[in-house]
């Protein structure tokens, strides 16, 4: 009998492994990406204090369009970069949340870079 691995458990395992190495500070917060089937979320987190400094997502009222595609991820990346700039943040550490750096996760990172965040 062939058993199939649980994709969610595998992603959580990758995420725990990455989080053991990646940590955000006040000077260089962690850009955390969470992806669902219909939406994408991004947060700038100071792990030392345990505080979210800025957040953006495709669920917000000012966001227009469908939130589960590459274009939406790029918009959210630009939104989080603008909100990070308002908070005085220029450099971040990227946390892909155990997801593969491809598609929507990559588009969000590209949008954040175009918005002025460095990582």
């Amino acid at each position: 009998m062939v058993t199939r691995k649980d994709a969610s458990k595998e992603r959580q395992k990758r995420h725990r492994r990455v989080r053991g190495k990646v940590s955000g500070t006040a000077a260089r917060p962690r850009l955390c990406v969470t992806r669902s089937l219909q939406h994408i979320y991004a947060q700038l987190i100071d792990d030392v204090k345990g505080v979210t400094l800025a957040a953006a997502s495709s669920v917000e009222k000012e966001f227009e369009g469908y939130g589960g595609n590459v274009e939406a991820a790029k918009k959210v990346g630009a939104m989080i970069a603008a909100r990070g700039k308002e908070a005085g943040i220029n450099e971040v550490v990227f946390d892909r949340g155990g997801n593969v750096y491809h598609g929507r996760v990559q588009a969000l990172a590209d949008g954040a870079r175009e918005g002025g965040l460095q990582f």
Side-chain angles (χ1 to χ4, degrees):
M1 183 170 130
V2 178
T3 58
R4 184 172 173 216
K5 290 187 176 183
D6 186 4
S8 178
K9 285 184 181 179
E10 294 296 314
R11 187 199 63 78
Q12 288 173 353
K13 206 160 61 169
R14 283 191 305 272
H15 186 51
R16 278 194 301 270
R17 186 170 57 237
V18 169
R19 283 290 291 122
K21 300 171 186 173
V22 175
S23 181
T25 63
R28 191 168 179 177
R30 175 170 55 101
L31 173 58
C32 179
V33 177
T34 305
R35 181 183 63 103
S36 70
L37 288 176
Q38 294 183 356
H39 296 288
I40 192 157
Y41 312 85
Q43 291 181 320
L44 294 176
I45 302 171
D46 177 6
D47 288 317
V48 175
K49 293 182 182 176
V51 176
T52 299
L53 305 172
S57 72
S58 60
V59 179
E60 299 172 2
K61 286 187 178 182
E62 58 264 14
F63 184 85
E64 294 181 6
Y66 178 62
N69 55 19
V70 173
E71 293 83 22
K74 199 160 195 165
K75 287 180 190 176
V76 172
M79 288 168 55
I80 194 68
R83 292 177 185 175
K85 289 288 188 180
E86 289 175 8
I89 299 165
N90 295 322
E91 292 186 7
V92 296
V93 178
F94 190 69
D95 175 16
R96 59 190 170 92
N99 297 305
V100 177
Y101 186 79
H102 180 74
R104 291 192 286 156
V105 175
Q106 184 178 1
L108 189 140
D110 291 341
R113 282 191 188 103
E114 289 172 9
L117 290 180
Q118 295 176 347
F119 54 97

